[in-house]
Amino acid sequence: MNPQFIIDGALNGAMIGLGAIGITLTYSILRFSNFSHGDLMACGAYATLTVLGIIGALVGNVAPIKPFSFGWPLIVALIISMTLIGLMAIALDKMLFSRLRAKGQMIIVVMASFGASMALRNLLEFLFTARPAYFNRAIQIAMPLGFGLRITPDQIALLVLTVILVTAVHLMMTRTHAGRSMRAVSQNPALAKVVGIDVRNVVRLTWMTGGALACVAGVMIGILVQIRPLMGFDMLLPMFAAAILGGIGSVPGAVIGGLIIGLSEAAAVQFVGAEWRAAVSFVILMAVLFVRPIGLFGVKER
């Protein structure tokens, strides 16, 4: 048995967990399943690649920050792209979802998110073609951790970044006025509005947070694997499974759910076969819905 699947599963779980945070926040606050969230990840990866190209054209080649495969231009491009994708998510809600939510039929909003997903995916394919793209083609030498485990510096950096972002979002949700407002709207939007909470600002913050984290998850996939228009769509089922497993509305739950899904998929590849990887998320999702629909950290609505 090769224990390396544990590292691979943890990395995949980190990417799934970051994406699942946006899904769980959107569902808990706006009450609909956003099936275009995965495509925001792909948009984030391509936006970062584009901004990185612009920076490269302006300043020329920049040496990577050792021992990583990337330099400061990628960090700057990521920060800019997080803002852009967050604003893009807000604009998408303003132009499409908010108008349909006002009609009071959430199934229409869900179907609209399917349409938005297809539109974004095809737009990316039209602009960038279906050929895979890469941030860097450099090959890193994995460092031994012991017990047969190996990890590259890029992988360590991305795991640390995940921990920092998840901690920051959790602290925002639990220690700030904005976070408390988001939780209040999640529990009772009408009552939150009565006590003076600006629900529109909460909605904008929700989209901004979800879009920014989706961008980071997309860039992580681009650094570790490759960038392509379908990359976010392929992550959609694992992200929904992680959000439901962790409990809708729980940020730590989404990340823990992502890690469980990621490790389960890696274990399936190791012990059963790669062809069964896609089935793992579906099996776990069905099991959670049958056994504990509120998830591991979910709370029953009153």
Side-chain angles (χ1 to χ4, degrees):
M1 182 186 73
N2 183 3
Q4 182 62 29
F5 79 90
I6 297 174
I7 298 294
D8 298 336
L11 287 164
N12 190 40
M15 294 182 286
I16 293 171
L18 281 180
I21 291 175
I23 287 176
T24 197
L25 290 179
T26 302
Y27 189 89
S28 64
I29 294 174
L30 302 178
R31 296 296 192 274
F32 86 99
S33 302
N34 180 21
F35 288 96
S36 66
H37 190 77
D39 298 284
L40 291 178
M41 295 170 60
C43 289
Y46 278 108
T48 304
L49 186 66
T50 302
V51 175
L52 184 62
I54 294 172
I55 294 175
L58 292 175
V59 303
N61 292 329
V62 177
I65 302 171
K66 297 297 183 182
F68 308 113
S69 67
F70 54 85
W72 65 262
L74 179 60
I75 300 173
V76 173
L78 174 59
I79 295 172
I80 294 173
S81 298
M82 288 173 67
T83 305
L84 292 176
I85 299 303
L87 294 175
M88 176 183 171
I90 294 174
L92 186 63
D93 179 67
K94 183 71 174 177
M95 293 185 297
L96 180 62
F97 299 137
S98 64
R99 298 172 185 267
L100 297 174
R101 281 201 310 274
K103 298 182 181 297
Q105 293 181 312
M106 298 313 296
I107 186 62
I108 298 177
V109 187
V110 173
M111 297 307 297
S113 73
F114 268 114
S117 172
M118 294 177 63
L120 290 173
R121 198 157 58 248
N122 283 283
L123 178 62
L124 289 176
E125 191 166 347
F126 174 76
L127 293 175
F128 299 99
T129 76
R131 291 193 302 272
Y134 301 87
F135 287 115
N136 196 314
R137 293 179 181 271
I139 298 176
Q140 285 192 314
I141 303 300
M143 303 178 296
L145 296 178
F147 305 102
L149 300 175
R150 302 179 68 86
I151 192 169
T152 67
D154 281 3
Q155 292 171 337
I156 295 175
L158 295 178
L159 287 174
V160 171
L161 177 61
T162 301
V163 172
I164 292 172
L165 289 175
V166 171
T167 303
V169 174
H170 179 65
L171 290 176
M172 181 197 75
M173 293 291 294
T174 56
R175 304 290 179 87
T176 68
H177 176 71
R180 288 190 288 269
S181 297
M182 291 173 72
R183 287 187 291 151
V185 173
S186 172
Q187 293 173 7
N188 193 320
L191 184 59
K193 193 171 184 178
V194 168
V195 299
I197 294 175
D198 191 336
V199 176
R200 288 178 297 180
N201 278 341
V202 170
V203 170
R204 285 192 286 267
L205 180 59
T206 300
W207 284 110
M208 190 73 192
T209 303
L213 293 178
C215 177
V216 176
V219 171
M220 287 177 65
I221 298 173
I223 292 175
L224 297 178
V225 189
Q226 61 185 13
I227 306 170
R228 54 193 184 88
L230 283 171
M231 59 189 285
F233 181 75
D234 292 341
M235 297 285 286
L236 198 58
L237 180 57
M239 288 191 300
F240 268 97
I244 294 173
L245 175 59
I248 293 297
S250 172
V251 171
V255 178
I256 292 173
L259 290 173
I260 293 173
I261 297 293
L263 289 168
S264 299
E265 288 186 347
V269 173
Q270 175 73 22
F271 298 109
V272 184
E275 66 273 13
W276 292 97
R277 178 172 185 167
V280 170
S281 299
F282 180 77
V283 171
I284 293 177
L285 178 59
M286 290 297 100
V288 173
L289 291 176
F290 279 119
V291 177
R292 187 176 169 82
I294 63 172
L296 297 175
F297 302 95
V299 178
K300 290 183 178 180
E301 293 188 2
R302 297 178 180 177

